[in-house]
Structures are given as C-alpha cells and as structure tokens.
Amino acid sequence: AQKITQTQPGMFVQEKEAVTLDCTYDTSDQSYGLFWYKQPSSGEMIFLIYQGSYDEQNATEGRYSLNFQKARKSANLVISASQLGDSAMYFCAMRELGTFGTGTRLTIIP
Amino acid sequence: DTAVSQTPKYLVTQMGNDKSIKCEQNLGHDTMYWYKQDSKKFLKIMFSYNNKELIINETVPNRFSPKSPDKAHLNLHINSLELGDSAVYFCASSQLTSGNHIQYFGAGTRLSVL
C-alpha cells in the first residue's frame, strides 16, 4: 500500500519569504513518482512539479523546487520568494494509484 | 480550449435522484480518473480507466458507475443519491506511457444533495 503524509495542516508565511511544505511517503515500489498540486480558493487543481524516483536532480519549476530525499522518503516543496497569490491548499501525491496527502493550507501574509 | 472539461460545474439535487457528470479531455491521454473531494478537502480516487478499461476501482458504493465510451470521455453516473454524496468530484487525465503520468484535472463538479 502507498501512503502520503503531510503533517502541516496550515502555515502562515510573510510575503517574499521562502516556505517549505513537508511531504513524506511510503511505498514498496522501486520506481515511483511524486507530484505537488496547488488548489486555490477557486477550486481548480493545478499541477506544479513532478519528481521521479530515479531522477538524479531535484526537480525545479520557476519558483518551485522539490527537495527530494529518497532515503528519508521525503519530497518537500520549496516555494521561493512567496507571493500573495501563493495562498492556497497544496497537495502532495504519488503517481501510482492516485494517492494524495491531506494537504497544507498556505496563507501568505502581506 | 479547456484540456479537461467537466459538466455541470454545479449540481443540486434531491436525495434518491439519479444524476450524471460528464468529463471530456482533448489532450489525447490514454487514462482518465474520477476523484471525490470531501468538505475537509481530502481527495480520494474512485476510478481509473486506461484505454476504456477499468484499472482502478476503489471501495466505492455500487451506486456509482463510471462509463467510458471512448478514450476521451469518462462519465460518472450516480444512482439513488444520498446526503453523504455531497462533495466536489474531479475528473483528471494522464498519459501512462509518458513516464511521469502527470494528471491534469478538470475544474470540478460541486454536487449538493438535499
């Protein structure tokens, strides 16, 4: 069975600061993938970033980067220079079986 | 053009009714999914179809029946609606042969059962 754990139900961060959203996972598969999605208050699910278990480099997409530590089974999302528009729910998910974490509600404070 | 589109966006109905939600993707993907998001924002996969074949069927009441007439469509029919079915239902699609299987989501259908 696969499991995603997001231990931060909510976070408040000052605008322009960097923020790290935690995600740990559990799987017995050797090959797997991890996603992060953003869900703003409007409700849509927006794909942010993907990390494959065999990718040698940590994934980056603009201000988003993924701190992938395979031995610790963690795939934390780092958002640099946070903006007000980053306020949203953030979900970590495993590629296989559509397993999602419980999400972290991020609020950026002006 | 919207990549994954769901209709309707809102659905308000009485207990006991039967309703359908439609989903279409124009990304050429081979796999489609249905998710349920409850009031606490918890996302749970319900079904997945690959090339019109059911590949994931989680523990979902058999009142829920997915139908995939072709690779681009995955509809969700719900019989005898109950209060607990109230949620946001998301359709998504991905290409399993792409390696990363990134799922692209529709805008969601908010179902309210009265």
Side-chain angles (χ1 to χ4, degrees), chain A:
Chain A
Q2 294 163 341
K3 188 177 179 183
I4 295 280
T5 302
Q6 293 181 255
T7 57
Q8 306 152 311
M11 287 187 73
F12 291 85
V13 172
Q14 204 74 37
E15 190 180 5
K16 297 180 186 170
E17 289 185 352
V19 56
T20 298
L21 304 182
D22 294 341
C23 172
T24 58
Y25 60 91
D26 190 21
T27 181
S28 55
D29 292 343
Q30 295 300 309
S31 175
Y32 53 89
L34 294 145
F35 304 116
W36 277 92
Y37 286 87
K38 173 183 178 181
Q39 186 176 38
S41 57
S42 51
E44 70 268 34
M45 295 287 289
I46 303 167
F47 166 74
L48 295 179
I49 197 167
Y50 169 81
Q51 179 81 44
S53 57
Y54 288 118
D55 294 340
E56 293 183 355
Q57 305 278 349
N58 283 348
T60 60
E61 290 285 348
R63 292 186 300 113
Y64 303 109
S65 61
L66 207 151
N67 183 1
F68 182 49
Q69 298 186 39
K70 199 169 177 178
R72 298 179 65 179
K73 293 192 173 180
S74 73
N76 299 339
L77 178 69
V78 180
I79 306 174
S80 62
S82 58
Q83 302 170 355
L84 296 178
D86 294 333
S87 294
M89 283 287 288
Y90 288 81
F91 292 95
C92 181
M94 287 207 78
R95 182 183 70 190
E96 288 69 25
L97 298 182
T99 306
F100 277 73
T102 51
T104 296
R105 183 174 295 280
L106 176 64
T107 303
I108 306 300
I109 305 166

Side-chain angles (χ1 to χ4, degrees), chain B residues 29-109:
Chain B
H29 287 166
D30 59 7
T31 305
M32 296 184 72
Y33 311 80
W34 276 110
Y35 287 87
K36 178 180 180 181
Q37 186 174 43
D38 63 21
S39 58
K40 295 182 179 177
K41 300 292 187 183
F42 183 63
L43 263 165
K44 181 174 170 54
I45 192 164
M46 301 172 70
F47 303 102
S48 176
Y49 272 73
N50 174 254
N51 287 319
K52 302 195 300 173
E53 298 292 326
L54 183 66
I55 58 171
I56 295 176
N57 184 2
E58 291 298 301
T59 307
V60 175
N62 57 15
R63 299 181 294 103
F64 290 80
S65 53
K67 284 187 173 52
S68 182
D70 56 56
K71 281 197 321 181
H73 296 84
L74 181 62
N75 304 323
L76 184 65
H77 188 76
I78 316 170
N79 289 329
S80 304
L81 278 155
E82 300 177 357
L83 294 176
D85 298 333
S86 295
V88 179
Y89 292 83
F90 284 99
C91 176
S93 74
S94 70
Q95 183 64 24
L96 285 192
T97 57
S98 70
N100 57 30
H101 310 187
I102 295 171
Q103 294 185 26
Y104 295 91
F105 282 75
T109 296

